[in-house]
Amino acid sequence: GDRFVLVDQHVAHERVLYERFRRDAEKKGDGARVDVEELLVPFVIDVARGETSAVAERLDDLRATGFVLEPFGESEFRVTALPAARRRGDDRATVRELIEMIVAARGGDSARLPCGAPIDLRTASFFDEALKIASCRSATKAGDSLSMEEISALVSQWRETSEPLRCPHGRPVVAYLDRGAVNHLFGRT
């Protein structure tokens, strides 16, 4: 009818990527693994000494989600591979968020996803929560300019997802404005 549909490009893209990551892992069928890209130049992440054992305990879980870390010194980890389908950007910040999630969960605290949504690894799957972080970090950002072709492709992919109304951690993808709301915005009665 008479309404506008507003789509949050970041949240829609996040939903698309999350489902792609999950589908790729299911296709591989080898214990929920995603395709990885070996880094030509690995980077090192420092962690607090008290966090080292928590991260070390989750290395296999991290590897299953495409984040390959290996111990490198007393309180450092070398990152040698990352999920292939990720958006190239601040990989260091993504790994740092995963480490913060691990440390918070070990301490019994709820961690938070980049959007602020809480997660509790006592009840949630580490694999699933890591995919949510990876999809959020890899998605187009709210202020990014997209061409008409990119917009069309994103909307088409988003409409094919299994849960198009919500991102993986529950935020709405769409908002609706009816004719009355639009008229109100322009001072019409």
Side-chain angles (χ1 to χ4, degrees):
D2 288 346
R3 66 182 181 174
F4 287 100
V5 178
L6 303 173
V7 177
D8 182 322
Q9 69 187 25
H10 168 71
V11 181
H13 194 208
E14 187 176 345
R15 168 54 66 185
V16 168
L17 291 174
Y18 173 76
E19 291 193 14
R20 181 181 304 151
F21 290 160
R22 295 228 22 119
R23 191 172 47 251
D24 289 351
E26 288 167 9
K27 274 193 233 173
K28 289 181 79 76
D30 59 357
R33 300 184 63 80
V34 300
D35 290 329
V36 299
E37 176 185 337
E38 299 288 331
L39 299 178
L40 292 174
V41 180
F43 61 90
V44 175
I45 294 282
D46 293 315
V47 297
R49 288 189 195 273
E51 299 173 353
T52 305
S53 63
V55 175
E57 290 169 9
R58 291 288 191 163
L59 290 178
D60 287 340
D61 291 330
L62 286 164
R63 181 180 303 274
T65 59
F67 294 89
V68 181
L69 283 69
E70 53 191 41
F72 189 74
E74 286 184 33
S75 61
E76 297 175 323
F77 290 88
R78 186 170 66 168
V79 181
T80 60
L82 295 166
R86 79 192 187 288
R87 176 183 181 172
R88 306 313 181 257
D90 194 351
D91 294 329
R92 185 178 300 275
T94 303
V95 173
R96 172 61 47 205
E97 283 181 44
L98 288 167
I99 289 171
E100 288 170 5
M101 178 178 73
I102 290 167
V103 171
R106 187 176 205 208
D109 298 329
S110 285
R112 295 210 171 266
L113 290 166
C115 72
I119 56 171
D120 184 348
L121 289 181
R122 292 171 296 189
T123 57
S125 153
F126 180 89
F127 177 75
D128 196 55
E129 296 306 324
L131 289 185
K132 289 176 185 179
I133 289 174
S135 62
C136 184
R137 278 288 185 175
S138 298
T140 300
K141 301 304 175 211
D144 291 351
S145 278
L146 300 178
S147 69
M148 288 306 292
E149 293 81 18
E150 290 169 321
I151 293 168
S152 180
L154 176 57
V155 168
S156 177
Q157 292 169 7
W158 162 67
R159 291 179 71 183
E160 296 297 319
T161 63
S162 65
E163 295 183 46
L165 297 180
R166 302 241 172 248
C167 76
H169 37 272
R171 288 180 36 211
V173 176
V174 297
Y176 302 96
L177 289 176
D178 64 18
R179 183 181 295 273
V182 173
N183 285 337
H184 179 75
L185 286 171
F186 292 102
R188 296 186 187 128
T189 55

